[in-house]
Amino acid sequence: MAAPPHILNRLYLPDWAFFPVAAALAAGLIILAFNMRFGGGTAMVSDTAFLVQGEALADLTAGPGTSVRFDPNAPDGPAARLRASASFELAGNMSAGVAAFAPNEFETRISGERIRVVVEARTTGANPPSHIKIGYFIVGYSGTGWQEVPIGPEYTSVSVEWDATDIPAGQYREAIGIWPDIEGQNREILVRRMRVDILPH
């Protein structure tokens, strides 16, 4: 039996509440995606670098609108195969994309430092994307934002730099993020290496 009209009317949001509710929902989806973390323990960490390659690529996390599959037999060595089924315009503000999470021991080291985020990637297949988006994100706090970089059929290292803000220790999650197909046409890219370096002063 259908609900009485006066009950259905209560489900409508007033105009003034729509954007705050939408923003809160988007933030919730991003936090949910970043909390979907799988512990692999194979990423390499030093005093000045965080490196994800080889089997560590199996621990990448796909946020809404994206997917990732580890391929140990990819051309030129193990790689992660990334796709986006939704455009960045549609889902980019509500998704973490494909993320590699920084270990806790590295997160505290970048506070107040200049860092360089490097992604080594290439296209594959017909009609590939010409650009991807990458960034470094501190969930609920700050980050580089999404930066658009070119990509081609050969492995190339693309990078962004950022002066990391002072970050309260242990309070936030951090990750390298990739949006693999800006138009969301489900085209695949290969990622062979993801790295964050703390640059010398």
Side-chain angles (χ1 to χ4, degrees), residues 9-168:
N9 288 340
R10 293 177 186 172
L11 299 178
Y12 289 105
L13 285 174
D15 291 343
W16 61 266
F18 176 79
F19 287 107
V21 171
L25 177 62
L29 288 172
I30 292 172
I31 292 170
L32 175 64
F34 269 66
N35 281 324
M36 294 169 58
R37 181 174 182 175
F38 305 102
T42 53
M44 290 180 275
V45 182
S46 71
D47 288 342
T48 59
F50 162 50
L51 174 63
V52 181
Q53 65 180 6
E55 292 183 1
L57 293 166
D59 289 334
L60 299 184
T61 301
T66 64
S67 64
V68 60
R69 177 174 64 88
F70 176 59
D71 183 356
N73 301 310
D76 302 313
R81 294 181 177 271
L82 281 59
R83 295 175 181 264
S85 57
S87 70
F88 180 80
E89 181 180 6
L90 178 65
N93 291 324
M94 296 186 293
S95 174
V98 177
F101 289 92
N104 291 338
E105 63 267 30
F106 185 74
E107 292 177 352
T108 58
R109 296 175 187 161
I110 75 162
S111 182
E113 302 287 349
R114 184 166 183 82
I115 65 170
R116 178 184 294 125
V117 181
V118 182
V119 173
E120 188 176 345
R122 54 162 284 197
T123 60
T124 182
N127 188 33
S130 61
H131 291 75
I132 61 175
K133 288 183 180 285
I134 66 173
Y136 190 83
F137 301 95
I138 303 170
V139 185
Y141 195 73
S142 62
T144 64
W146 288 107
Q147 306 295 315
E148 188 170 315
V149 293
I151 189 173
E154 304 294 332
Y155 273 113
T156 304
S157 292
V158 291
S159 65
V160 296
E161 293 188 10
W162 178 56
D163 291 316
T165 51
D166 290 326
I167 305 158

